[in-house]
């Protein structure tokens, strides 16, 4: 992890938030490359979950909502972790982090046995809406995006004119005042979720749960996470919410252990029913065929953007041996990112920066490819160094314009370039006009 955290900072993927002021625990900023990677992930999720389907529509809800939402959903009363304070070193711990030796509880930080009883600590951040700061203006930063989907269920159903089964998808920020943020961005206090609420008939919940589990596993494979590092854990009844009929966690083997990427949960009719009761507004579905009204059941695949970005980076990090300028083997650090996820798809290099024709040709290729993909033009330093810089940030393809491109050695090679593959380092000669087609096919 140390190497990965260092690469993320060095190359502009992820920085500590407010770093120049000493940071703020559990909060992170994405730099120029991180933001591209994150966007690629969110766009791909949106594409397969919303655009490529007839049965899902999207929405974008507000982060602040009426406090009544959080009362009805149960978050105000129960969205908490049990917490213990050490009276000696003043560390606040999650109850499950306290160590127990011979039946005596001890602080893992200082070893003291002087600990408070465990008590619930609500994870929602409080805030006030408007000028007065009292109970009447209190609300919370949302701890999940799902609730705005439930409370807008009726509006979305009416405008989209969907029939069951159908889903509402949302990507957005969520906030949790985690007691112990840790493992880099894995457990943060501000993060993004990609959530789908898939509404269905009462008797079809288990069928759609299995369907979405398979779809979601396929998604992770399609962004480059190997199936053998992904696990579908069936959550046992005593770990599930009381209203959940079945639940899977999709887990990934991170360097710090096997941890959750996404929950795929069958939440029955609990959420819509709660909001119907609390708001007094009908959230029923009217079945035109049977003329029946009922509350839809829901299956919820809920994924973390930041955790998935971290899994993608951890999975891609590699070191191998590659020859330097003089042919001597050296260690090469690279990110074997799936081309779909790579922040920059293609590096473009004139062999020499002081040759006008080479530079002009390389810039022509930049203009040719830029409408289709993110590219990076680099003319500085030895060509091997330029390749290494791109390898380290996961750029899957490199194009070099050399004297053969200018037709100097062999007229047949005029307007051809070398196309280098990041992982195998193999080079092939392709014609410039074929580049957009070849690259588009390999990226997607
Ligand atoms: N609406 C259901 C829900 O929010 P969750 O299991 O609490 O379920 C869903 O969260 C996903 O959100 C998790 O699988 C994880 O990927 C992400 N997530 C949750 N808490 C997080 C945190 N503190 N930091 C980063 N990601 C988090």
């Amino acid at each position: 992890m140390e190497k990965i955290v260092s690469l993320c900072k060095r190359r502009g993927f992820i920085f500590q938030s407010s770093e120049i002021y000493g940071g703020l625990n559990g909060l992170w900023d994405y730099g120029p490359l991180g933001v591209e990677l994150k966007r690629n992930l969110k766009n791909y999720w949106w594409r397969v979950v919303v655009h490529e389907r007839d049965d899902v529509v999207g929405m974008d809800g507000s982060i602040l909502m009426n406090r009544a939402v959080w009362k009805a959903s149960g978050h105000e009363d129960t969205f908490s972790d049990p917490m213990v304070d050490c009276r000696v070193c003043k560390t606040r711990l999650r109850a499950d982090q306290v160590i127990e030796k011979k039946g005596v509880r001890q602080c893992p930080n200082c070893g003291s046995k002087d600990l408070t009883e465990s008590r619930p600590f609500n994870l929602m951040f409080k805030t006030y809406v408007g000028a007065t700061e009292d109970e009447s203006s209190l609300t919370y930063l949302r701890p999940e995006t799902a609730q705005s989907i439930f409370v807008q269920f009726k509006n979305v159903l009416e405008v989209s004119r969907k029939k069951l089964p159908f889903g509402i998808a949302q990507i957005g920020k969520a906030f949790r005042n985690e007691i112990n943020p840790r493992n880099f961005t894995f457990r943060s206090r501000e993060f993004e979720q990609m959530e789908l609420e898939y509404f269905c008939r009462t008797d079809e919940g288990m069928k759609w749960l299995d369907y979405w589990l398979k779809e979601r596993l396929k998604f992770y494979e399609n962004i480059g996470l190997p199936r053998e590092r992904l696990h579908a854990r069936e959550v046992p009844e005593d770990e599930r919410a009381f209203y959940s009929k079945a639940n899977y966690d999709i887990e990934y083997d991170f360097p710090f252990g096997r941890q959750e990427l996404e929950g795929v949960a069958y939440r029955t009719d609990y959420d819509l029913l709660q909001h119907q009761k609390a708001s007094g507004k009908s959230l029923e579905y009217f079945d035109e065929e049977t003329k029946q009204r009922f509350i839809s059941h829901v299956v919820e695949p809920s994924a973390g953007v930041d955790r998935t970005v971290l899994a993608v980076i951890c999975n891609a990090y590699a070191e191998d041996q590659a020859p330097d300028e003089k042919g001597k083997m050296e260690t090469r650090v690279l990110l074997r990112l799936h081309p779909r996820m790579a922040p920059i798809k293609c590096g473009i290099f004139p062999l020499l920066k002081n040759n006008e024709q080479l530079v002009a040709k390389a810039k022509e290729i930049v203009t040719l490819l830029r409408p289709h993909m993110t590219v990076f033009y680099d003319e500085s330093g030895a060509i091997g160094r330029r390749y290494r810089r791109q390898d380290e940030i996961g750029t899957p393809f490199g194009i070099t314009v050399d004297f053969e491109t200018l037709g100097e050695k062999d007229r047949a090679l005029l307007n051809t370039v070398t196309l280098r593959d990041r992982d195998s380092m193999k080079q092939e000669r392709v014609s410039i006009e074929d580049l957009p087609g070849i690259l588009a096919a390999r990226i997607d």
Side-chain angles (χ1 to χ4, degrees), residues 96-268:
D96 61 2
Q97 292 175 323
V98 170
I99 45 177
E100 219 172 291
K101 282 191 187 152
K102 294 183 186 152
V104 181
R105 299 180 316 146
Q106 280 189 9
C107 170
N109 194 36
C110 71
S112 155
K113 294 170 188 139
D114 192 4
L115 304 176
T116 63
E117 283 308 306
S118 136
R119 59 178 182 271
F121 172 77
N122 196 297
L123 299 181
M124 289 196 293
F125 283 98
K126 285 182 180 156
T127 191
Y128 299 92
V129 178
T132 47
E133 291 195 5
D134 60 23
E135 277 284 300
S136 68
S137 61
L138 176 72
T139 193
Y140 306 95
L141 303 191
R142 68 180 179 196
E144 61 171 21
T145 70
Q147 294 305 322
S148 57
I149 299 181
F150 296 128
V151 299
Q152 291 294 358
F153 171 79
K154 202 74 180 196
N155 278 334
V156 177
L157 177 65
E158 268 166 27
V159 297
S160 61
R161 299 171 62 224
K162 293 285 173 205
K163 302 257 177 294
L164 288 182
F166 82 97
I168 306 176
Q170 177 166 215
I171 299 178
K173 287 267 187 181
F175 305 81
R176 296 183 190 178
N177 198 3
E178 299 284 356
I179 302 168
N180 280 300
R182 68 204 150 101
N183 290 329
F184 198 20
T185 56
F186 180 82
R187 190 180 303 287
S188 316
R189 289 183 164 139
E190 175 176 341
F191 55 96
E192 274 185 280
Q193 293 184 314
M194 305 181 281
E195 295 199 293
L196 169 67
E197 304 303 327
Y198 196 76
F199 300 97
C200 62
R201 286 167 203 283
T202 311
D203 51 352
E204 292 191 331
M206 294 306 276
K207 180 181 100 180
W208 288 112
L209 180 76
D210 287 344
Y211 169 85
W212 279 108
L213 175 65
K214 288 198 191 91
E215 284 297 299
R216 299 303 304 144
L217 285 166
K218 214 180 342 164
F219 173 88
Y220 290 111
E221 284 188 81
N222 286 343
I223 58 170
L225 301 183
R227 185 62 186 86
E228 60 275 15
R229 287 195 198 154
L230 293 163
H231 309 276
R233 184 177 81 95
E234 202 173 338
V235 180
E237 200 177 346
D238 60 341
E239 283 180 39
R240 294 199 306 261
F242 70 90
Y243 51 80
S244 166
K245 262 207 180 146
N247 193 346
Y248 290 99
D249 279 348
I250 298 181
E251 299 178 329
Y252 172 77
D253 291 325
F254 283 95
F256 44 84
R258 188 173 293 180
Q259 297 283 348
E260 176 187 330
L261 279 183
E262 165 162 355
V264 186
Y266 176 21
R267 300 174 67 110
T268 62

